């Protein structure tokens, strides 16, 4: 089992910034992928950004150039720096940890961007 604890959500005005963090604990295997998904009301959960333990990143087109995903392998922690936030970024953001068929999710943290 892997437990994920997220922090850093909140309310921010359009154009502002937030930083999310997610710490993993439990049966951590060094080779894995961590990242962030989000789900807005009435919409499906979608990938925001992900990063492998080797540092390879992947971003949704809608956040490229504005969001940066990073990780500290020694701390089993993944971060999401969100800049130039837009109202359409409003959603519950979920941390994800994955390796092969194993997938774990955080409890979610609300990000609200006001116009």
């Amino acid at each position: 089992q892997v437990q994920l604890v997220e922090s850093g959500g909140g309310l921010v005005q359009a154009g502002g910034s937030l930083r999310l963090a997610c710490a993993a604990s439990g049966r951590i295997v060094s080779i894995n992928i961590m990242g962030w998904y989000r789900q807005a009301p009435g919409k499906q959960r979608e990938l925001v950004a992900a990063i492998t333990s080797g540092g390879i990143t992947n971003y949704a087109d809608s956040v490229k150039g504005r969001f940066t995903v990073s990780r500290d392998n020694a701390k089993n922690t993944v971060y999401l720096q969100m800049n130039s936030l837009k109202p359409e970024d409003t959603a519950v953001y979920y941390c994800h940890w994955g390796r092969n068929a194993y997938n774990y999710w955080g409890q979610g943290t609300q990000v609200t961007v006001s116009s």
Side-chain angles (χ1 to χ4, degrees), residues 46-66:
E46 62 176 1
L47 172 70
V48 177
I51 182 168
T52 69
S53 47
I56 298 172
T57 59
N58 183 35
Y59 292 93
D61 287 343
S62 59
V63 306
K64 285 180 180 177
R66 300 188 297 123

Side-chain angles (χ1 to χ4, degrees), residues 2-115:
V2 174
Q3 294 78 43
L4 302 172
V5 178
E6 302 142 336
S7 61
L11 172 65
V12 64
Q13 289 188 331
S17 298
L18 282 174
R19 188 188 194 212
L20 305 182
C22 172
S25 62
R27 299 187 65 179
I28 304 296
V29 179
S30 59
I31 299 175
N32 56 67
I33 186 166
M34 295 185 73
W36 297 90
Y37 287 69
R38 67 186 180 187
Q39 188 167 18
K43 295 188 177 181
Q44 290 187 330
R45 189 173 297 189
E46 62 176 1
L47 172 70
V48 177
I51 182 168
T52 69
S53 47
I56 298 172
T57 59
N58 183 35
Y59 292 93
D61 287 343
S62 59
V63 306
K64 285 180 180 177
R66 300 188 297 123
F67 291 10
T68 302
V69 64
S70 61
R71 63 187 290 166
D72 184 333
N73 289 333
K75 297 181 179 179
N76 293 317
T77 300
V78 64
Y79 304 95
L80 185 67
Q81 178 66 44
M82 304 185 291
N83 298 328
S84 302
L85 282 160
K86 304 175 181 180
E88 50 264 44
D89 294 317
T90 295
V92 178
Y93 284 68
Y94 295 92
C95 178
H96 171 259
W97 184 100
R99 175 181 165 83
N100 297 332
Y102 296 93
N103 292 281
Y104 296 93
W105 298 91
Q107 78 283 1
T109 185
Q110 177 70 46
V111 171
T112 303
V113 184
S114 63
S115 58

